[in-house]
Structure formats: structure tokens, C-alpha cells
Amino acid sequence: MKYTHILWDWNGTLIDDLGVSVEVLNAMLSPRGLKTLTHEEYREVFRFPIIDYYIAVGLTPERWPYDDLAKEYWQLYDPASRTAPLMAGAKEVLQQLKDLGAAQAILSASEQGHLKAVTKYFGIHGYFNDVLGLNSIHAHSKVELGLDWIRREGVAPEHVVLIGDTEHDAAVAKSMGIDCILIPKGHYSRRRLELLDLPIVEDISLIPQFLSKLPE
């Protein structure tokens, strides 16, 4: 394959947590008298940094400090995330890419301990050379995590691809100097992803086929 190393986003890419995320957000909005969102509305407004997304749905820091909102969200999301399934076909795709000799890692803005726990919970921890998450719940940039991994692996950036579901993943990949492939089944609508002018693969199950057809 063209890519010897694959970085996977977690939320909305490997785990199908859109429903859980919307449910948790609405559980925060409704008691505050704010409008709740449908899945479609959520996918049009979700963004990074997370504070901008909170402001967009009415959770303004002037009324509710961001740190308090982040803690509240995490307290609701962490247990609920165990009820979200992996994306259909995700485990099979990880196995296929492992069989092809690709080194795989998760690169996520989720908290490191949570990532390790849920990948073990879903029985997929063994597919990854590394599970790279942040050391807090505030979901800041993951660029440095990814660059450190590339340096440790000793791989040229042109042989690395990031697979994700948001504009943030595209921006991270650009900052790292690597390619990016997007899947429109997560936290961004396909309409928003198409504006980024990057390859879009309709379903995670199609990733091995897509990668194997790329010229080396």
C-alpha cells in the first residue's frame, strides 16, 4: 500500500457514538432551557475547539464556565460511551489492514485513560501500535501527539494517513504534513466534509479497498 502507517480518529470514525453524543448534549441543553438538537442539526454545528461548539448551541461561557461544562459532559458521556457500538465492519477492517502489514494507531482528542479502557472493552486494543489521547478532558489539539508518534516510528510523512470524520481531522493532518481520508458517518455531515476537498470514503468497510488501489 501507499501508506505503511495509519492514524485513526476514534469518535465518529471507529466508534459510532453520534447518538450518544447528541443524547448527552441534549441532556445538558434541556435543563437550561436551551433548544435540543436532532442528529442532523448536531452534525451541522459540531466543531473544534469544543468551546466554539458549546457557544454555537447556546452554552456560553458567560453563563456557564467552560471547565464546568467539560466536566459535566464527561461525567455523562464516559459511562454512556460503552453503549455505543463500533462502526459496522470496524474490527474486520482493522484486521485486514493488520494482515497487510500496516502499523495502526489511534489519534484522538479524547482522554488517554478513557481511550485505553474502551479499546480494551471493545476487544480491539491489540490492533494498535499506540493509543494516543490527551491527558485532560478538554479536547485540545492532537497535532503534537501525532508528530511525536511519526518521529518515534521513523516513518516519512508521505507514508502516513489520518482517517477521520471532521474538519479538525483534516486540519490536524495538514499541520502534520500527512494525507487525510474522511468518512461521512460521524460528527460532520457529508455536505461539510465535501467543502474540504479531500477524499471521502462512504463507509469504513471500504477503506482497505480504497487504500489498496492508490498508487504507491
Side-chain angles (χ1 to χ4, degrees):
M1 292 192 302
K2 175 181 179 180
Y3 304 113
T4 60
H5 290 64
I6 298 170
L7 286 167
W8 290 97
D9 172 56
W10 176 246
N11 303 95
T13 302
L14 286 172
I15 187 172
D16 187 5
D17 67 341
L18 172 64
V20 166
S21 299
V22 175
E23 183 179 310
V24 169
L25 174 65
N26 286 337
M28 295 170 64
L29 294 174
S30 184
R32 292 176 168 88
L34 299 172
K35 179 185 178 298
T36 57
L37 274 63
T38 65
H39 287 199
E40 291 74 19
E41 290 169 335
Y42 170 92
R43 296 177 82 222
E44 290 294 333
V45 75
F46 180 77
R47 68 194 68 176
F48 282 87
I50 294 296
I51 190 171
D52 290 348
Y53 148 59
Y54 282 165
I55 291 171
V57 299
L59 295 169
T60 57
E62 292 80 12
R63 297 186 67 186
W64 301 286
Y66 173 66
D67 283 355
D68 293 345
L69 292 173
K71 291 175 184 175
E72 181 180 351
Y73 182 90
W74 194 252
Q75 287 169 354
L76 294 169
Y77 175 85
D78 187 36
S81 66
R82 270 64 169 185
T83 68
L86 293 176
M87 286 288 181
K91 188 175 288 190
E92 291 79 6
V93 166
L94 293 172
Q95 182 64 57
Q96 289 176 55
L97 294 175
K98 181 179 180 180
D99 292 343
L100 289 170
Q104 301 180 83
I106 289 177
L107 178 62
S108 174
S110 289
E111 193 270 332
Q112 174 84 0
H114 168 80
L115 283 173
K116 289 186 174 181
V118 292
T119 52
K120 289 177 181 177
Y121 174 81
F122 286 111
I124 59 172
H125 189 79
Y127 290 111
F128 305 109
N129 293 32
D130 282 291
V131 175
L132 309 169
L134 302 182
N135 59 9
S136 77
I137 62 173
H138 299 306
H140 298 303
S141 175
K142 51 193 181 183
V143 172
E144 286 304 317
L145 280 176
L147 289 174
D148 285 345
W149 184 72
I150 288 176
R151 284 192 287 267
R152 291 199 307 271
E153 290 290 311
V155 60
E158 59 265 28
H159 296 305
V160 184
V161 64
L162 172 61
I163 301 175
D165 70 309
T166 69
E167 183 178 9
H168 181 62
D169 294 314
V172 166
K174 184 176 181 179
S175 295
M176 292 173 60
I178 64 176
D179 290 343
C180 183
I181 297 170
L182 299 168
I183 301 174
K185 295 291 181 71
H187 294 260
Y188 262 50
S189 67
R190 184 184 182 91
R191 179 196 69 79
R192 295 174 76 191
L193 295 182
E194 287 175 345
L195 298 175
L196 303 176
D197 195 28
L198 289 171
I200 296 175
V201 176
E202 195 64 34
D203 189 271
I204 195 172
S205 63
L206 302 175
I207 287 290
Q209 179 183 359
F210 178 85
L211 294 179
S212 65
K213 289 183 176 180
L214 294 175
E216 294 186 25

